[in-house]
Amino acid sequence: MQEPNKSSVTEFILLGFSFSPRTTPLFFSVFLMTYLLIILGNSLITILICLDSCLHTPMYFFIGILSVLDLGYTTTTVPQMLVHLASENKTISFASCVAQMYIFLVLGITESWLFAVMSIDRYMAICHPLRYKVIMSPQLCGIMVIFCGLWGVISALVYTLFAMCLPYCGPNKINHFFCEVPAVLKLACADTSVNDQADFILGFSVILVPLALILVIYVNIFIAILRIRSAQGRLKAFSTCASHISVVTMFCVPAMVMYMKPGAEVSPEEDKKLALFYNIISAFLNPIIYSLRNNDVKRAFLKVTGWGRAPE
């Protein structure tokens, strides 16, 4: 690890996006509306899962946790981005930057491992349906989520310590819309090669290992599905996996590109687009993916709101 922080920097300036004055109000409105829809969609999913006993299953338990994580890490970054779009003051204190970086990493890493846990749940449901409810007990589901959270807390702490123990002695303009590790490291007044190597190694444990686990599990799931004789049964099994594969791809692939490429290859504009994708767009689409084609969620919505009966 590098020598202790001797920084004279007390605050950073987040440059954000390079919008023209004419288009800034338009993008502000788009981001604000998207954020409000993220809050509405993920909150609705969480509330429905809590209120409807029919959704008290392992799969929906994990989807509820996913919605809470989506709410958390978008709220960590988007409100501040909106404030900076609406005002000339784009500063963030050193302590706030560290806190934002750490909280974002905790939630993001936890979500990465949660996807792996959700794939295990799908494997048990499809490959061992008769023992599914016995094996995937509430206690085991709770332990799995706690594991994801603890891994997120520990890994994020290591990431943050490696980044913020470097000296920051001059430039304080972060070419990003929030304090993300790769963007902050570019301002360090020291060699960051050790940090790049550490981030790459940590990337295996927080991104590649969950992805590899998901890949292995889904290979086994697809083999099991192909053995199903009924075409309708195969279609139903595939449809239960499609949503999970979609959200994993939207979140993990951009995150892997962001955190596992060498610092010398960092392109600020590309990184901002990638971060926008796995930070905002995935959180916006997750409730849509998990609800539009899901009759259980539709029934729960109609039951809770009392708007009518869901289609049988």
Side-chain angles (χ1 to χ4, degrees):
M1 187 177 294
Q2 304 291 337
E3 63 185 58
N5 192 352
K6 298 179 180 178
S7 171
S8 59
V9 173
T10 59
E11 65 180 17
F12 293 106
I13 298 173
L14 292 168
L15 298 180
F17 294 97
S18 303
F19 299 137
S20 69
R22 290 184 178 181
T23 58
T24 296
L26 173 63
F27 282 103
F28 175 86
S29 301
V30 170
F31 287 137
L32 176 61
M33 184 60 64
T34 302
Y35 178 58
L36 293 176
L37 289 174
I38 288 172
I39 294 176
L40 176 63
N42 286 285
S43 298
L44 183 60
I45 291 287
T46 306
I47 292 170
L48 289 177
I49 291 171
C50 290
L51 294 181
D52 194 330
S53 59
C54 294
L55 301 183
H56 291 176
T57 64
M59 182 181 77
Y60 290 109
F61 171 70
F62 293 132
I63 291 175
I65 299 296
L66 177 65
S67 293
V68 172
L69 292 173
D70 284 345
L71 283 170
Y73 73 74
T74 52
T75 301
T76 303
T77 59
V78 178
Q80 180 189 61
M81 178 184 70
L82 292 172
V83 170
H84 288 176
L85 281 174
S87 68
E88 295 296 325
N89 183 11
K90 303 181 186 297
T91 60
I92 181 172
S93 69
F94 189 92
S96 297
C97 184
V98 174
Q100 184 184 60
M101 181 188 298
Y102 178 69
I103 294 170
F104 181 82
L105 285 171
V106 168
L107 298 173
I109 294 170
T110 300
E111 181 159 328
S112 179
W113 272 98
L114 181 67
F115 287 135
V117 167
M118 293 172 74
S119 68
I120 295 173
D121 172 70
R122 291 298 82 212
Y123 172 79
M124 297 306 303
I126 293 172
C127 299
H128 302 282
L130 298 179
R131 294 186 293 164
Y132 173 64
K133 291 185 178 180
V134 176
I135 296 174
M136 297 299 293
S137 64
Q139 292 78 12
L140 180 60
C141 293
I143 290 172
M144 286 178 165
V145 170
I146 291 172
F147 165 79
C148 295
L150 289 176
W151 196 266
V153 168
I154 295 169
S155 300
L157 183 61
V158 175
Y159 262 113
T160 306
L161 287 176
F162 265 88
M164 305 315 292
C165 284
L166 289 168
Y168 294 88
C169 52
N172 69 336
K173 293 183 179 179
I174 301 174
N175 195 359
H176 211 303
F177 62 90
F178 72 100
C179 290
E180 192 160 36
V181 173
V184 175
L185 285 179
K186 295 188 73 174
L187 303 182
C189 304
D191 181 17
T192 61
S193 59
V194 175
N195 296 76
D196 291 338
Q197 294 171 10
D199 289 350
F200 187 81
I201 293 170
L202 283 167
F204 274 88
S205 68
V206 302
I207 300 175
L208 282 187
V209 172
L211 274 178
L213 180 60
I214 291 169
L215 179 62
V216 170
I217 290 172
Y218 269 104
V219 167
N220 285 276
I221 288 175
F222 290 146
I223 291 173
I225 291 175
L226 292 175
R227 291 173 180 168
I228 299 175
R229 295 182 179 181
S230 166
Q232 185 177 1
R234 287 197 298 270
L235 181 62
K236 183 178 180 181
F238 271 121
S239 66
T240 62
C241 300
S243 299
H244 184 242
I245 294 173
S246 300
V247 298
V248 168
T249 303
M250 287 191 303
F251 180 86
C252 291
V253 173
M256 181 173 62
V257 174
M258 170 74 81
Y259 281 91
M260 296 194 69
K261 63 183 178 182
E265 298 180 9
V266 171
S267 168
E269 296 307 315
E270 289 182 7
D271 283 357
K272 280 185 271 190
K273 292 175 184 177
L274 285 171
L276 198 65
F277 200 88
Y278 64 75
N279 180 210
I280 299 176
I281 297 177
S282 64
F284 170 72
L285 292 177
N286 284 353
I288 299 174
I289 292 171
Y290 279 119
S291 62
L292 284 183
R293 296 176 58 193
N294 192 314
N295 286 330
D296 291 335
V297 174
K298 293 176 183 177
R299 289 191 188 98
F301 177 77
L302 294 172
K303 178 181 176 182
V304 170
T305 58
W307 286 359
R309 292 185 61 189
E312 296 295 334

